[in-house]
Amino acid sequence: MADLKESFSKGLTAINVKTSTFLEAKKIQTYISTLNSEIEALQKEIGRRAYEDWEKNGSISLSNIGEQLMEISKKKETIAQQKIAAEELEKKEQQILGTADNQKPSKIFCPNCGQSYDGPVKFCRKCGTKLQ
Ligand SMILES: [Zn+2]
C-alpha cells in the first residue's frame, strides 16, 4: 500500500512540475511574441521617420531614429535572454522528471537472431535462445 501511495504522489509531483513548466514556458512565449510585435512597431516607426527625413532633407539622419534603433537592440537582447530561460526551464524539467529515454525500459536483443523485445523476455520467441 505504501508503494502505491508513493508512486501516486510521485505521479502528482510530475504533473505539478509539468503544469508549472508549461505555464512558465507559455508566459515566456507570450512575452517574446509581445517583444516581437513591439520591435515590428519600432521598425515601422523607423521607416516612417527615415522616409519623412529623406522627403524633407534629401537624406536620412541617424539621430532621428537612434532612439528606436537602441530600443530594438535592447528588446532583441531581452528576447535572447528569454529564450535561454526557456531552454533552462526545459532542462530543469527533464532533470526532475527524467528524460523520456530514462523512463523507457531498455530493449533486449537476442544474441542469436537479433530479434528485439521491449520488455524482459526469458526466451527468444523466434529462435528459442535463453535471454536471461
Ligand atoms: Zn532469437
Side-chain angles (χ1 to χ4, degrees), residues 28 32 79-91:
I28 290 173
I32 288 175
I79 288 175
Q81 284 165 356
Q82 290 298 311
K83 281 186 178 166
I84 291 169
E87 272 171 31
E88 273 168 11
L89 201 66
E90 209 175 297
K91 268 188 220 156

Side-chain angles (χ1 to χ4, degrees), residues 110 112-113 124 126-127 129:
C110 172
N112 184 45
C113 72
C124 177
K126 217 172 155 190
C127 70
T129 302

Side-chain angles (χ1 to χ4, degrees), residues 69-112:
L69 289 171
M70 282 304 294
E71 254 186 88
I72 287 180
S73 67
K74 260 191 244 162
K75 284 181 198 295
K76 288 212 163 164
E77 220 171 275
T78 311
I79 288 175
Q81 284 165 356
Q82 290 298 311
K83 281 186 178 166
I84 291 169
E87 272 171 31
E88 273 168 11
L89 201 66
E90 209 175 297
K91 268 188 220 156
K92 208 172 74 185
E93 187 196 50
Q94 279 175 357
Q95 272 170 8
I96 294 168
L97 299 177
T99 57
D101 283 345
N102 286 346
Q103 285 171 343
K104 260 188 216 157
S106 48
K107 269 195 181 227
I108 293 169
F109 292 93
C110 172
N112 184 45

